[in-house]
Amino acid sequence: MAGPLTTRPLRLTGPWKQGYALDFHTASSTYKGDDEFGHPVFETIRTPLGEALYKLKYSRDRSVIPVIAATVSNYLKARDWQVDGIVPVPPSNARRAVQPVLEIAHALGKLAALPVCDACLSKRRSTPPLKDVFDRSERERLLSGAFLANPHLTAGKSLLLLDDLYRSGATAATAARELLDGGKAKAVYFIAVTRTRTHG
């Protein structure tokens, strides 16, 4: 099994009992000028965990899944949270060939000996990609009513909500509230593998 990577956990505030991102996604990003089309060009250096996640998300490199899962599992053991299962945040693009959150969640479930509940939280309706929506209130408007929890699976349980990349927190907060309110979960804990440095 691949060993865990070094992390620098970042506390996240939200409707969860406790929440953390395990590291920033990037270590630095330096402006290098504009390309021939006038678009800014940056030299980006990612953290070790950010680089692994980038390979999974954008190069479909599944070989990094064990090390990401081991890193999350190692951190989860250190927190000693008493959770009944793992709930991956539903993907924004259901047609994507590789679904990073789902794959990480299932690998984590095996390492942590926890069930993964794909059916605990689903998308009620499709939402547009939010990576280019920078206004938090607009993100929240787009996400309002987007998730549906299954109380038959979640009621009375302490759940670990898992996401790959935390930006503004709007998606994770909406998902957590639905697990608590609609799903009647006892408690929600949250882990994001990485977070962006800008999170407006």
Side-chain angles (χ1 to χ4, degrees):
M1 182 190 77
L5 296 170
T6 301
T7 60
R8 292 172 296 177
L10 308 154
R11 187 158 195 157
L12 304 172
T13 57
W16 35 80
K17 195 166 184 178
Q18 290 185 50
Y20 291 87
L22 300 190
D23 206 344
F24 283 113
H25 194 71
T26 60
S28 66
S29 186
T30 306
Y31 174 67
K32 304 296 285 185
D34 292 346
D35 64 15
E36 63 270 29
F37 303 106
H39 300 132
V41 176
F42 295 89
E43 180 183 9
T44 300
I45 298 173
R46 298 179 189 88
T47 63
L49 196 51
E51 184 63 30
L53 184 60
Y54 183 87
K55 287 178 179 177
L56 176 60
K57 285 175 72 79
Y58 300 106
S59 300
R60 302 179 184 180
D61 183 356
R62 286 186 169 92
S63 71
V64 299
I65 293 172
V67 74
I68 296 173
T71 303
V72 179
S73 178
N74 192 56
Y75 184 73
L76 188 58
K77 288 174 186 173
R79 299 308 305 175
D80 194 33
W81 293 339
Q82 301 300 312
V83 296
D84 300 306
I86 301 166
V87 178
V89 172
S92 55
N93 182 1
R95 296 187 302 273
R96 192 173 192 157
V98 175
Q99 297 292 352
V101 181
L102 300 182
E103 301 220 19
I104 294 167
H106 283 279
L108 172 62
K110 290 177 183 175
L111 289 177
L114 287 169
V116 177
C117 187
D118 294 339
C120 281
L121 189 67
S122 59
K123 272 289 189 71
R124 192 194 301 261
R125 58 177 174 77
S126 62
T127 54
L130 299 178
K131 64 182 180 180
D132 296 321
V133 180
F134 299 105
D135 182 70
R136 185 181 175 89
S137 60
E138 177 63 10
R139 282 172 169 260
E140 290 173 348
R141 186 191 70 78
L142 291 170
L143 288 165
S144 178
F147 297 112
L148 179 65
N150 184 340
H152 296 294
L153 299 174
T154 59
K157 293 185 177 178
S158 293
L159 302 168
L160 173 64
L161 183 65
L162 181 72
D163 206 355
D164 55 353
L165 183 62
Y166 180 97
R167 187 171 279 104
S168 73
T171 299
T174 304
R177 286 192 198 98
E178 175 59 20
L179 287 171
L180 291 165
D181 298 340
K184 308 301 180 188
K186 178 182 176 182
V188 173
Y189 296 84
F190 175 60
I191 286 181
V193 177
T194 63
R195 72 168 292 171
T196 60
R197 288 187 176 274
T198 55
H199 46 88

